[in-house]
Every structure is written in C-alpha cells, then in structure tokens.
Amino acid sequence: MGRTSKDKRDIYYRKAKEEGWRARSAFKLLQIDDAFHIFAGVRHVVDLCAAPGSWSQVLSRRLYLPAVAAGRTGEQLPKIVAVDLQPMAPIEGVTQLQGDITSEATARQVISHFHGHHADLVVCDGAPDVTGLHDMDEFVQGQLILAALAIVAHVLVPGGTLVAKVFRGRDIALLYSQLKIFFPDVTVAKPKSSRNSSIEAFVVCRRYAPPPGFEPEQLQALLHSAWQAYGPDTQHSPLMRQLVPFLACGDLDGWDAEASYDLPAEGYVSLPPVQPPTAPAYRRAIERMKGAAPAREDSGDGSHVAVMATAAG
Ligand code: SAM
C-alpha cells in the first residue's frame, strides 16, 4: 500500500506522523491514560518491548520533558527504562537496553537501573512476530506477559500499575486469573486507535499487591503450577472464570481506526516516517539481492522490469 493511500485509510498512521510519533501505537497509550490516568504521580517507569519507541516518546513527553521544563535535575527527574530486542533511536530522558525480556539477564539489567528504587508503572506492548496460527501467537504473547510479570515482581512498587498488551483468545481467562493474583484491580481496555478487527487489547492492572510471603523468584513455579492444577479444562474451573471488566476507551466521537478519511483537497503532503527503522530485517536481504544479481533488467521495450535475485548462500 502506498504511503498516501495508507494516510487515507489509517487516520492514526497519518496523525502519528503529523504529531511526530514514531508509531501509531502512541495513541493507544495516550487513550489508555485518558481513561485510567496511569501517569498520575508517576516518576519511575519501565517500557518493555519498546521499539520503535512511540510509547517511550509518550513517557518522555508526558513525564520527563515537563520535569525538565519545571527545572528539576538529577535524581529528581523521572527515570524511564526502555527494553527491546531491536535497537532503538535515542529519546530524551529514556535509558535504552537491548535484550530479550524473557531472559533473566535482561530482567537483571532492568532492575539494576533502578538502584533500589521502585517503578510506579510498567508498560509492555510486546508482540511476537505473528505466525497466523492463533493458538501459537496467543501462547507466545502470554509468555511475554509472564516475563513482564517477572520483572514487575522485582521492580514495581506496591500499589503500582502494569499495562500490557494481550491477545483476547481462547485461554485469556487463565491469564486474567494469574494477573488477579497480583493485582486486585484488572480491567481490559480497548483503545479506539486499536482496530476492532484485531484481537489485541490491553490489561490495565492496578494496585499491585503480591500475595503475603511471595518472593519474586517463585513466580515461574507459581504460574506453572496454575496450569498443572487445572489441566486443559481451565476455562471451566471457578477460579479461571474470573470476570474482568472491559472498557472501550478513547474519544468515542473522535477518529475511528477502521474508517477511511479523505485527504485535504489542497496542499496535502504525505509525510515520511518520523523514525525510519534502525536495523530492519529487509536491509540485509536487499544488500544480498544487490550483490547476487542486477536489481533491474531491460525488458526490450524500453521499460525496465525488476529482477528478484535468488539469495542463495
Ligand atoms: N510500544 C512500541 C512503540 O510504541 O513503538 C511498539 C512495540 S511493537 C508492537 C512490539 C515489540 O515487541 C517489537 O519491537 C519487538 O521487537 C518486541 N519484542 C517481541 N518479543 C520481545 C522479547 N522477547 N524481548 C524484548 N522485546 C520483544
């Protein structure tokens, strides 16, 4: 799809470029904040699965930059730690780590940046490369949330908030139950900028309160035994059938992620991406194709046809 056509078909894609957000996902976090005021009183935040960085931009613009403008310095400034498998271009006030959030080494690195302080908020927009096999995608997504929860258990202050992306698939009730062990207040939010056709939603988990005697290291075992205790029929056990409130958020009279909007009749310029990918997977493929064969070949009628090089070796 061309850039102009995407500008027309995806209003949040277009607005993101106009407002300088690296991705349209920024609006999801902003709309969640409009509904839940998740930034109120927050000083320390962890942004898990942060690349290309639009949520980190929101955190920087909402928390860090206003503190700088107010003349705060050093330890008084908000601390924002962002992690992703992918490298990310810098963002003011955001400490970046490159790593896998499911690995213990990455979790330790995140924790080390807080120097004994706690985070007030952890956000996780993690998504695996979707395979289209829904059970598999949902499972891997669930693993990312469990990894986020393991980091939460080390860094989140009692009373703190976790916001995490979920796929509302077949086994979602089990995940809600696991979250409710740690947070008495769990709501599922569907921001208006998240397409209705997508099964993605966001759990907003408030008032972090781990069970008495809980040690963060117990988390994996605890979650594992929850699966074992209820077996494959988990959806039908009373514990697993927790009801979690669902809230559609974002200005319901505002932009609709599913609608096409006409572009302004005059003077419209389609903007380039705010931050081009830092290390896209396609770059190497293009380089290999260029090296293996000419990228274009004369078709004989004066025009050129693109030639796909076989990227052997
Ligand atoms: N919130 C981001 C933003 O606003 O720009 C978008 C996040 S994107 C939807 C999902 C991200 O999850 C990808 O950048 C991907 O690299 C990251 N991710 C997936 N699995 C991960 C893992 N195990 N550890 C760290 N990051 C992971």
Side-chain angles (χ1 to χ4, degrees):
M1 196 192 307
R3 198 187 287 155
T4 311
S5 151
K6 197 162 176 197
D7 282 352
K8 193 170 170 180
R9 288 188 38 187
D10 186 341
I11 187 72
Y12 286 103
Y13 170 80
R14 183 170 123 204
K15 290 280 162 206
K17 291 189 293 176
E18 289 170 5
E19 294 179 19
W21 304 113
R22 292 179 182 182
R24 66 193 293 295
S25 331
F27 293 106
K28 300 174 191 171
L29 192 60
L30 289 167
Q31 289 170 351
I32 289 170
D33 180 53
D34 286 346
F36 295 92
H37 310 293
I38 55 171
F39 299 144
V42 165
R43 274 197 54 212
H44 294 164
V45 194
V46 182
D47 182 4
L48 298 171
C49 302
S54 76
W55 280 25
S56 288
Q57 285 182 292
V58 170
L59 296 170
S60 173
R61 290 190 198 179
R62 282 291 179 90
L63 301 173
Y64 183 82
L65 296 179
V68 172
R72 284 198 245 148
T73 53
E75 286 289 292
Q76 297 171 316
L77 285 168
K79 176 116 196 132
I80 303 166
V81 176
V83 192
D84 201 286
L85 286 170
Q86 311 288 336
M88 215 165 92
I91 296 170
E92 199 175 346
V94 178
T95 304
Q96 296 180 18
L97 305 175
Q98 196 177 346
D100 179 349
I101 68 159
T102 63
S103 90
E104 199 180 326
T106 307
R108 286 192 191 287
Q109 261 190 301
V110 175
I111 295 158
S112 74
H113 278 276
F114 280 90
H115 306 296
H117 291 289
H118 281 101
D120 310 295
L121 173 66
V122 176
V123 295
C124 177
D125 191 22
D129 286 338
V130 175
T131 64
L133 301 170
H134 296 314
D135 285 354
M136 167 86 95
D137 293 336
E138 193 193 338
F139 174 77
V140 178
Q141 177 71 19
Q143 293 304 298
L144 286 181
I145 295 171
L146 297 191
L149 203 50
I151 293 175
V152 159
H154 283 279
V155 299
L156 193 63
V157 71
T161 302
L162 166 70
V163 174
K165 172 147 75 193
V166 294
F167 287 168
R168 283 177 303 137
R170 208 163 45 109
D171 293 326
I172 193 67
L174 174 63
L175 184 64
Y176 294 155
S177 300
Q178 291 168 334
L179 291 169
K180 290 200 85 167
I181 295 171
F182 299 93
F183 296 89
D185 183 347
V186 179
T187 302
V188 185
K190 181 75 175 171
K192 197 134 187 281
S193 47
S194 172
R195 294 186 186 86
N196 286 337
S197 49
S198 159
I199 60 165
E200 103 178 344
F202 295 84
V203 280
V204 181
C205 310
R206 290 179 290 188
R207 296 192 282 126
Y208 177 57
F214 169 75
E215 295 294 335
E217 289 72 24
Q218 296 169 347
L219 191 64
Q220 290 307 330
L222 187 70
L223 294 167
H224 184 62
S225 64
W227 279 106
Q228 285 183 333
Y230 297 102
D233 209 15
T234 47
Q235 298 295 306
H236 305 294
S237 91
L239 175 64
M240 296 306 152
R241 256 192 296 119
Q242 300 250 18
L243 291 181
V244 167
F246 182 92
L247 185 84
C249 58
D251 175 3
L252 297 184
D253 293 326
W255 301 111
D256 182 344
E258 307 287 348
S260 288
Y261 293 90
D262 282 335
L263 300 173
E266 279 180 26
Y268 179 72
V269 179
S270 179
L271 298 171
V274 171
Q275 173 63 55
T278 46
Y282 58 76
R283 185 178 294 156
R284 192 158 160 257
I286 290 174
E287 280 163 7
R288 285 170 68 183
M289 277 171 59
K290 278 186 185 158
R296 309 175 96 204
E297 187 174 82
D298 201 315
S299 63
D301 62 359
S303 64
H304 288 86
V305 289
V307 175
M308 297 298 290
T310 51

